[in-house]
């Protein structure tokens, strides 16, 4: 995350902090002088010992963003922990919101099957409700996420830049499946735990409001639910090495994957991949397919349910017979899990207004 923070500081936040929290002219000149003469040991050794003087150190030797003078013109320098926390919170919230809207919208326009609006369990004004819930959840989730990112940029995680700093060249490849398997295992148990009657109604039921989700449901959680299922991603780099660019790539992939498994396009008819079809079975029937990426832990935990073959044929996927079968079983499960169904269904209204 230090690479991301450096980029945002360079192109956005340095100027904002310099404007809102300006340094005194003397301190600003001292920092600028130190930054320009950092190589002059004899002349500036005493300056470098001053904790208030910020000096630029690139987050990566592969990608560097040379700071402008604005980086030295604020009373809150880049390495100030409070500034880092504020900036990382805003990045997590606002940039997360941008990613959510861009990729959910792309999926909604180009992938999502609009015939889903006609499904008897599609809610009235569902897309609007999904977006509203996501916008409400993201700023709170960012509060809980920020401490992890602050700890990372301050050097407490096992993130590394070059191969010589890591376990070896082989790990540059192994880290990806290792990350997927490790986080998938923990998410499986966290997700399954969220279905326990003691916590389901308070925390996880808001996400299960969407029986037939759209891509906008991907981040439409209760904030604590969404955060709980993200914890494994943050834990990993504190337990195991992870290359910095791989870390950024994986976090981007996680968000895109979360959207894809809610897009209703059942492409992956795989016994291994927990794709949109598997996740649709989870939204319909609640107590199956808790995994995020694979079906491995569901199979080992006895909670795997193979998607109906009809879902992979367009002529039967949206057929009346398949929908009637889904509705009949879903209504039985809802009574068992929730004691009743308080959702407001109106597929005809949804068809007109979405």
């Amino acid at each position: 995350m230090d690479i991301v923070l450096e980029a945002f500081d360079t192109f956005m936040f340095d100027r904002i902090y310099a404007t809102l929290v300006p340094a005194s002219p003397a301190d600003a000149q001292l920092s600028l002088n130190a930054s320009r003469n950092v190589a002059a040991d004899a002349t500036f050794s005493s300056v470098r010992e001053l904790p208030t003087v910020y000096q630029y150190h690139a987050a990566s030797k592969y990608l560097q963003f040379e700071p402008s003078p604005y980086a030295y013109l604020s009373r809150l320098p880049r390495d100030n922990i409070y500034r880092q926390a504020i900036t990382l919170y805003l990045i997590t919230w606002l940039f997360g919101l941008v990613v959510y809207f861009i990729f959910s919208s792309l999926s909604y326009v180009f992938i999502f099957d609009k015939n889903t609006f006609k499904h008897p369990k599609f809610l009235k004004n569902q897309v609007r409700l999904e977006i509203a819930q996501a916008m409400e959840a993201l700023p709170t989730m960012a509060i809980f996420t920020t401490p992890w990112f602050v700890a990372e940029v301050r050097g407490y995680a096992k993130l590394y830049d070059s191969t010589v700093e890591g376990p070896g060249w082989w790990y540059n490849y192994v880290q990806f499946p290792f990350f997927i398997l490790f986080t998938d295992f923990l998410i499986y148990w966290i997700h399954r735990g969220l279905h326990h009657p003691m916590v389901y109604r308070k925390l996880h039921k808001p996400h299960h409001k969407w029986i037939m989700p759209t891509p906008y449901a991907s981040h439409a959680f209760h904030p604590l639910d969404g955060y709980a299922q993200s914890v494994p991603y943050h834990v990993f780099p504190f337990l195991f090495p992870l290359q910095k660019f791989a870390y950024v790539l994986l976090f981007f992939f996680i968000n895109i994957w979360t959207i894809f498994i809610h897009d209703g396009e059942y492409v992956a008819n795989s016994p291994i991949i927990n794709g949109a079809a598997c996740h649709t079975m989870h939204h319909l029937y609640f107590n199956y397919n808790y995994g995020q990426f694979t079906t491995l832990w569901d199979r080992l935990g006895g909670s795997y349910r193979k998607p109906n073959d009809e879902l992979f044929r367009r002529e039967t996927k949206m057929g009346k017979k398949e929908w009637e079968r889904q509705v009949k079983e879903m209504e039985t499960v809802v009574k068992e899990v929730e004691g009743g169904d308080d959702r407001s269904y109106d597929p005809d209204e949804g068809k007109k207004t979405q």
Side-chain angles (χ1 to χ4, degrees), residues 87-100:
T87 306
L88 287 166
Y89 170 75
L90 293 173
I91 292 172
T92 306
W93 171 25
L94 299 177
F95 185 65
L97 198 63
V98 170
V99 171
Y100 165 72

Side-chain angles (χ1 to χ4, degrees), residues 91-306:
I91 292 172
T92 306
W93 171 25
L94 299 177
F95 185 65
L97 198 63
V98 170
V99 171
Y100 165 72
F101 271 112
I102 289 176
F103 289 96
S104 292
S105 297
L106 289 173
S107 178
Y108 179 81
V109 172
F110 296 108
I111 299 175
F112 178 67
D113 191 335
K114 309 306 186 293
N115 285 318
T116 304
F117 297 155
K118 304 173 187 177
H119 194 285
K121 293 303 178 182
F122 194 83
L123 303 187
K124 181 179 181 180
N125 299 324
Q126 180 171 314
V127 172
R128 297 178 193 174
L129 294 171
E130 289 171 339
I131 292 174
Q133 186 166 306
M135 292 185 68
E136 182 179 339
L138 286 172
T140 305
M141 289 169 60
I143 292 174
F144 295 108
T145 303
T146 297
W148 293 98
F149 288 153
V150 172
E152 288 166 14
V153 301
R154 298 189 74 81
Y156 294 101
K158 297 184 178 182
L159 295 166
Y160 66 92
D161 190 30
S162 63
T163 300
V164 295
E165 298 171 355
W169 66 266
W170 59 273
Y171 193 78
N172 290 338
Y173 303 96
V174 171
Q175 63 185 331
F176 292 101
F178 183 27
F179 180 90
I180 294 297
L181 288 173
F182 175 82
T183 57
D184 198 37
F185 170 73
L186 291 184
I187 291 170
Y188 171 80
W189 288 108
I190 292 170
H191 191 178
R192 188 163 185 169
L194 286 164
H195 279 260
H196 191 281
M198 292 181 65
V199 295
Y200 172 80
R201 293 192 182 187
K202 289 288 186 181
L203 296 184
H204 198 49
K205 183 180 176 181
H207 188 62
H208 271 275
K209 183 176 184 177
W210 331 114
I211 302 300
M212 295 298 295
T214 80
Y216 293 107
S218 59
H219 293 67
F221 291 96
H222 184 289
L224 291 179
D225 177 9
Y227 169 71
Q229 295 193 62
S230 75
V231 165
Y233 306 133
H234 304 298
V235 167
F236 185 94
F238 286 90
L239 298 179
F240 309 105
L242 189 62
Q243 205 277 334
K244 290 183 177 182
F245 288 98
Y247 172 83
V248 175
L249 179 64
L250 283 165
F251 262 85
F252 184 74
F253 164 75
I254 289 162
N255 280 279
I256 303 305
W257 181 263
T258 303
I259 292 168
F260 280 174
I261 62 175
H262 292 88
D263 67 14
E265 188 61 30
Y266 312 129
V267 176
N269 187 8
S270 167
I272 299 173
I273 298 174
N274 183 52
C278 281
H279 200 65
T280 293
M281 301 300 283
H282 177 73
H283 275 265
L284 277 168
Y285 309 126
F286 293 71
N287 297 321
Y288 304 95
N289 302 346
Y290 299 108
Q292 180 76 353
F293 303 112
T294 77
T295 64
L296 174 61
W297 309 116
D298 279 295
R299 291 178 183 277
L300 294 176
S303 55
Y304 174 68
R305 176 163 174 169
K306 184 180 183 298

